[in-house]
Every structure is written in C-alpha cells, then in structure tokens.
Amino acid sequence: MSAPYNDVPSGVIAASAVQRGSRVSWGGVWSGLLVAVGVFLLLSLLGLAIGISTADVGPGEDANVRSLGIGAAVWSGLTLLVALFIGGMVATATGMVYDRTSGMIEGVLVWVLAVLLLIYMASSGISMLTSGVFGALGSVTRGATSAVAMSVDPAELSAGNVDEITSRLRDPKTVQMVAAATGMPQAEAQSTLSNIAQRVESVRNDPAQAAAEARKGAEEIASKVAARAEQVADDVQPYASASIWGTLLALVLALAAAVGGAMVGRKRVANQLSDVAMSSAGR
C-alpha cells in the first residue's frame, strides 16, 4: 500500500486504481476559492462594522487612530487565515480528494488564486476590504517615493524673461510644489521663492544675470529636495523592511492555513470512503 493512501481502506484504493497519483479536482479548487472569498468578505465587513461602531476618535487622538489601525490589521490577518482554512477544506471535500499529495496541491492552488484575486481587488480600487492585508507595504513605500517624485527642475524654473521667471516664482502652485518636495512649511517656501524673485528683480536690466540668479536659486531648492528625499528614505527603511517581512509571514501563514484546511477536508473524505467500504463489505 503506497504511503499517500495509508489511511484509506484497500478496497477503496482497488476500486479507484485508475486514479492513482495526483488527482486535482479543479471544480473543488474553484469551490474552495469562492467560499474563501465569501468568508473573507463577510468577516471583513463584520470587522468593519465593529470598528466603526466602537471607534472613538476625535481631533488629536492619534493613539486611538493607531490602535484602530493595528486592530484592523490583526483582524484582516485572522480573517484571511480563517477564510483560506475553510476554502482549503471545502476544496478537498467537494472534489472528493482523499490522498495527501492531491490535498496539499489543492490547498496551495486555493492559496495562490486567493492571493492573486486579493491583489487584483486592491489594485483595481476595491481596497477597503483588502488594504488590511496589502496596504501596509503600500503606505510605507508611498512616503518614501513622494519626496522623490516631487522634483524641482532648475532649467524650467529659470526659463523665460524676468517677468516670466518672477511670475513663476510667485505662483502659489510653485510654492505648494516646493513646500511638498522639501518638507518646508508653506510660509517658509513662499519666503524662499520671494527672496529668489527679489534677486532676479534686482538685476532686471541684465537678462543673463537674472537667469543666472534664478538658476542659482532653483539649484538651492533642488539640493534641499535631494536632502529631503534621502532623509525620508533613511526614515522609512526600517519600517519598509518590517512591512516586507510581515507581509511574507502573513502569506506563509495563509498558505499553511489553506493546506491545513485541505488536509482536514481530505481526512473527512477518507473517513467517508472508509465508512462506505465497510458498509459495502458488511452486506
């Protein structure tokens, strides 16, 4: 008797000799996936309803906000584990899979398809229910890339005649861009740009010198942007590392839950087949 079938009666094995080897039931896999998604959505909505009902967050209550976020992340992780465990169990039970190898394969397939579906849902805007699983990594990396994405081009800022340059330097949109890119308060960014505009105005009669002053000021701002981006990257690195490892751990636990559920379903199928074989033998 082969190892994968050591807990299945020999009569059952003989009756299904043509199906020896890995017998994956895709009908069972899809059934398990749909059930897992349904359980995940149901439990996620339950957690959302409980969180909204019990939330007591007011202005300045950062501690409550952090606690709520941690609770949501923990609930999302537990929800995923429960959903995939049930999905794996349904996959092998509905597919009538009773050997270990096929059961493990079906559990892995349910896990892979569920993860791909969650990633698709998160990327297509259905993020309210999936952000607890994959949102942590995105929130960390967005902070690191925002400062890099916001760049100041010295050539663009100093292009044109004196009136165009000073108008661009005093434009509120330029002030907002510089404040966001450098991390300076908006008032400080406005003061910095006004000083550059005044230096350009002071040499209005010399267009070449005016352009040089504008370029010099823009390069000073660009250096502050680069320093800001480096600082943000250094600050975010430990959080990004922890987030990546946390996401990896969550995926491994989810895989274990799906395979564990599949093994439970497989065992129930084997027991049912054993009961049928014993009943037939007693007749």
Side-chain angles (χ1 to χ4, degrees), residues 222-258:
S223 65
K224 292 182 180 180
V225 172
R228 167 69 173 171
E230 184 177 353
Q231 178 186 355
V232 170
D234 291 339
D235 292 342
V236 165
Q237 183 176 5
Y239 299 101
S241 177
S243 179
I244 292 172
W245 281 109
T247 302
L248 176 61
L249 177 61
L251 291 176
V252 171
L253 291 176
L255 173 60

Side-chain angles (χ1 to χ4, degrees), residues 189-226:
Q190 186 174 8
S191 175
T192 301
L193 291 171
S194 296
N195 289 336
I196 298 174
Q198 290 175 4
R199 281 155 45 190
V200 173
E201 285 278 7
S202 64
V203 289
R204 170 180 287 273
N205 295 330
D206 188 349
Q209 183 63 27
E213 288 291 340
R215 231 178 352 259
K216 180 180 178 182
E219 289 172 354
E220 292 173 358
I221 294 174
S223 65
K224 292 182 180 180
V225 172

Side-chain angles (χ1 to χ4, degrees), residues 36 39-40 43 74-88 111 118 133 249-261:
V39 172
F40 180 79
L43 293 180
V74 171
W75 180 268
S76 296
L78 293 176
T79 295
L80 183 63
L81 295 181
V82 172
L84 286 178
F85 180 87
I86 295 175
W111 171 76
L118 289 176
V133 181
L249 177 61
L251 291 176
V252 171
L253 291 176
L255 173 60
V259 173

